[in-house]
Amino acid sequence: GAGVSQTPSNKVTEKGKYVELRCDPISGHTALYWYRQSLGQGPEFLIYFQGTGAADDSGLPNDRFFAVRPEGSVSTLKIQRTERGDSAVYLCASSLVVGGGDNEQFFGPGTRLTVL
Amino acid sequence: AQTVTQSQPEMSVQEAETVTLSCTYDTSENNYYLFWYKQPPSRQMILVIRQEAYKQQNATENRFSVNFQKAAKSFSLKISDSQLGDTAMYFCAGEYGNKLVFGAGTILRVKS
């Protein structure tokens, strides 16, 4: 079946602009995660959803970042007033349920965001 | 706070030989899970192998195996019979509180 998909693949924007990044999880997966991967580093956790609710948003760096998952499937990561430091690859993952190492997180190919 | 450390930025190995990638971690939790992920240039993170902390037996998946030393908080990945397709970035990760904490990664290059 289809894996996790993310759109767009690449996004170039100007400093101060608003961007939205979309994630389509694997069908039937209840949990959805967002990570940010800066150049040369490992991914860093941003937020995860269990169903429609954000269960843990402790990784969001500041209030310019916001994510939603209104129907418990597709999620959108929203970044307001973008800064050059927001440039990174944004990875989305989904898992069948939350919790436990048996619940493998399946990753999408990421969106590369470049803020000029 | 949970941390994961990979001290080898880059490694090289000849095709068909064996290579070991190192990882150490720190956590105060008793029940946790550890993973190795592979990230090729396509950016797609692929799970290579997982280990449950309360299991003493080291996990094995075909050519991939781990050496899990719980007391030392060490979790190394051994790749046997290395293949050109193994060339990628490898990340060690721990699952704490339903989220993954990743190390900085090790670039592995398999040479023919």
Side-chain angles (χ1 to χ4, degrees), chain A residues 37 56 99 101 107 109-110, chain B residues 33 39 43-44 50 98-100:
Chain A
Q37 185 175 20
D56 185 343
F107 283 81
Chain B
Y33 301 83
Q39 187 178 42
R43 298 200 306 243
Q44 189 89 40
R50 69 165 68 88
N98 303 324
K99 57 195 179 191
L100 295 173

Side-chain angles (χ1 to χ4, degrees), chain A residues 3-8 20-26 31-35 49 67-70 72-77 90-94 106-111:
Chain A
V4 178
S5 62
Q6 293 186 246
T7 54
E20 290 188 352
L21 311 179
R22 177 187 168 105
C23 173
D24 282 84
I26 293 172
L32 185 146
Y33 311 78
W34 284 99
Y35 295 86
F49 292 86
V68 296
R69 194 186 186 201
S73 178
V74 171
S75 175
T76 304
L77 178 65
Y90 290 80
L91 296 170
C92 176
S94 70
F106 293 84
F107 283 81
T111 293

Side-chain angles (χ1 to χ4, degrees), chain A residues 4-110:
Chain A
V4 178
S5 62
Q6 293 186 246
T7 54
S9 177
N10 291 281
K11 175 71 177 178
V12 180
T13 191
E14 294 180 345
K15 180 176 178 292
K17 298 289 187 181
Y18 168 83
V19 296
E20 290 188 352
L21 311 179
R22 177 187 168 105
C23 173
D24 282 84
I26 293 172
S27 178
H29 279 195
T30 63
L32 185 146
Y33 311 78
W34 284 99
Y35 295 86
R36 179 169 72 173
Q37 185 175 20
S38 299
L39 189 62
Q41 298 181 23
E44 294 179 312
F45 169 80
L46 295 176
I47 183 172
Y48 90 85
F49 292 86
Q50 171 66 12
T52 59
D56 185 343
D57 64 358
S58 62
L60 294 177
N62 52 59
D63 61 6
R64 295 187 298 105
F65 288 74
F66 188 72
V68 296
R69 194 186 186 201
E71 298 179 356
S73 178
V74 171
S75 175
T76 304
L77 178 65
K78 307 180 180 189
I79 310 174
Q80 298 177 321
R81 304 183 304 281
T82 52
E83 299 177 357
R84 292 191 179 89
D86 298 335
S87 295
V89 173
Y90 290 80
L91 296 170
C92 176
S94 70
S95 64
L96 188 59
V97 294
V98 168
D102 285 340
N103 298 305
E104 177 183 348
Q105 293 187 26
F106 293 84
F107 283 81

